[in-house]
């Protein structure tokens, strides 16, 4: 039986974990800071609905083998949205998240373009990025820059860092991109032996994968880490300067 969440039954508890088989948001719902909220079926925000997570205190929203359908408004606040289960499909329409965590045991598949204002946390077996774009919008030089975290390598089709924002790849992170776009005023920072790689172009003799060398504004950031690159730059995998990949 579907459970409908309306403004009169907005979740406000800071200690309980609210788990629903299905959830439909028809009006304005606010999750107070510290709320743990889970859905194991279909999660729908209708056109007149909105779900707002606290911007002051983190909440965790977990969707296990769930379908996320948003025709209304989702405001991520300081929340972490986690997609868990076996074969997981991410939201079917463009969405903005704070921290996005993927815990799929088999695979996770992108189904739209996503904006991440916090961290991308990869704990999945396989991520299928499709033809979609992930845009990172952690404010540059703020201490709240976006980061790639988690136990698994991260793979993106199009990765974009707009002006005024920064993505940090560090601590031996392994990131693969098909197309990297770094806008003027955006910043990509690699450190701690991080690896940024792109599949070798068709016909290349460099092997199945290679580490990308990213350059911008006279500075470079390489797969060996310890560098910073500032935009503008737009690189497709066929344009990347590459050297043989090193073991992960």
């Amino acid at each position: 039986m579907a459970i409908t969440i309306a403004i009169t039954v907005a979740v406000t508890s800071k200690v309980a974990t609210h788990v629903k088989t299905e959830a439909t948001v028809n009006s304005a719902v606010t999750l107070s800071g510290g709320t743990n909220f889970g859905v194991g079926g279909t999660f729908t925000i209708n056109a007149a609905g909105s779900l707002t997570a606290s911007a002051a205190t983190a909440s965790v929203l977990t969707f296990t083998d769930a379908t996320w359908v948003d025709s209304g408004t989702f405001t991520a606040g300081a929340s972490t949205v986690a997609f868990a289960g076996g074969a997981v499909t991410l939201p079917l329409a463009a969405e903005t998240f704070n921290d996005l965590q993927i815990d799929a045991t088999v695979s996770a598949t992108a189904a739209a373009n996503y904006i991440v204002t916090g961290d991308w946390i990869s704990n999945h077996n396989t991520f299928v990025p499709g033809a979609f774009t992930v845009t990172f919008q952690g404010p540059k030089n703020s201490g709240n820059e976006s980061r790639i975290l988690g136990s698994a390598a991260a793979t993106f089709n199009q990765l974009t860092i707009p002006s005024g924002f920064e993505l940090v790849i560090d601590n031996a992170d392994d990131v693969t991109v098909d197309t990297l776009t770094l806008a003027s005023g955006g910043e990509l920072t690699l450190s701690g032996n991080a690896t940024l790689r792109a599949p070798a172009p068709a016909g290349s003799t460099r092997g199945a994968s290679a580490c990308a060398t990213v350059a911008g504004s006279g500075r470079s950031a390489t797969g060996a880490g310890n560098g910073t690159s500032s935009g503008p730059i737009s690189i497709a995998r066929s344009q990347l300067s590459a050297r043989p990949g090193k073991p992960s």
Side-chain angles (χ1 to χ4, degrees), residues 146-185:
S146 291
R147 294 179 180 270
I148 306 291
L149 304 174
S151 60
T155 301
F156 302 96
N157 171 53
Q158 168 105 20
L159 188 157
T160 298
I161 307 170
S163 178
F165 301 104
E166 181 178 358
L167 174 64
V168 177
I169 303 174
D170 60 6
N171 298 325
D173 291 328
D174 193 324
V175 178
T176 297
V177 299
D178 195 70
T179 300
L180 168 66
T181 299
L182 180 59
S184 178

Side-chain angles (χ1 to χ4, degrees), residues 66-135:
T67 301
W68 174 305
V69 180
D70 183 5
S71 300
T73 302
F74 172 66
T75 303
S79 68
T80 295
V81 175
F83 292 93
V88 175
T89 299
L90 272 60
L92 305 178
E95 202 69 80
T96 298
F97 300 99
N98 177 48
D99 292 343
L100 177 58
Q101 180 167 321
I102 305 175
D103 296 327
T105 58
V106 177
S107 65
T109 302
N113 298 325
Y114 308 119
I115 295 173
V116 176
T117 61
D119 299 327
W120 178 282
I121 306 167
S122 299
N123 296 321
H124 51 73
N125 190 349
T126 300
F127 179 66
V128 182
F132 301 106
T133 298
V134 176
T135 301

Side-chain angles (χ1 to χ4, degrees), residues 7-106:
I7 190 171
T8 53
V9 291
V11 178
T12 57
S13 171
K14 294 187 178 183
V15 293
T17 298
H18 302 266
V19 180
K20 311 296 182 184
T21 302
E22 295 186 0
T24 301
V25 179
N26 289 319
S27 55
V29 175
T30 298
L31 295 178
S32 61
T35 298
N36 295 325
F37 179 75
V39 176
T42 300
F43 174 67
T44 304
I45 304 177
N46 285 327
S50 65
L51 180 64
T52 301
S54 169
T57 306
S59 299
V60 178
L61 289 69
T62 303
F63 300 87
T64 304
D65 292 319
T67 301
W68 174 305
V69 180
D70 183 5
S71 300
T73 302
F74 172 66
T75 303
S79 68
T80 295
V81 175
F83 292 93
V88 175
T89 299
L90 272 60
L92 305 178
E95 202 69 80
T96 298
F97 300 99
N98 177 48
D99 292 343
L100 177 58
Q101 180 167 321
I102 305 175
D103 296 327
T105 58
V106 177

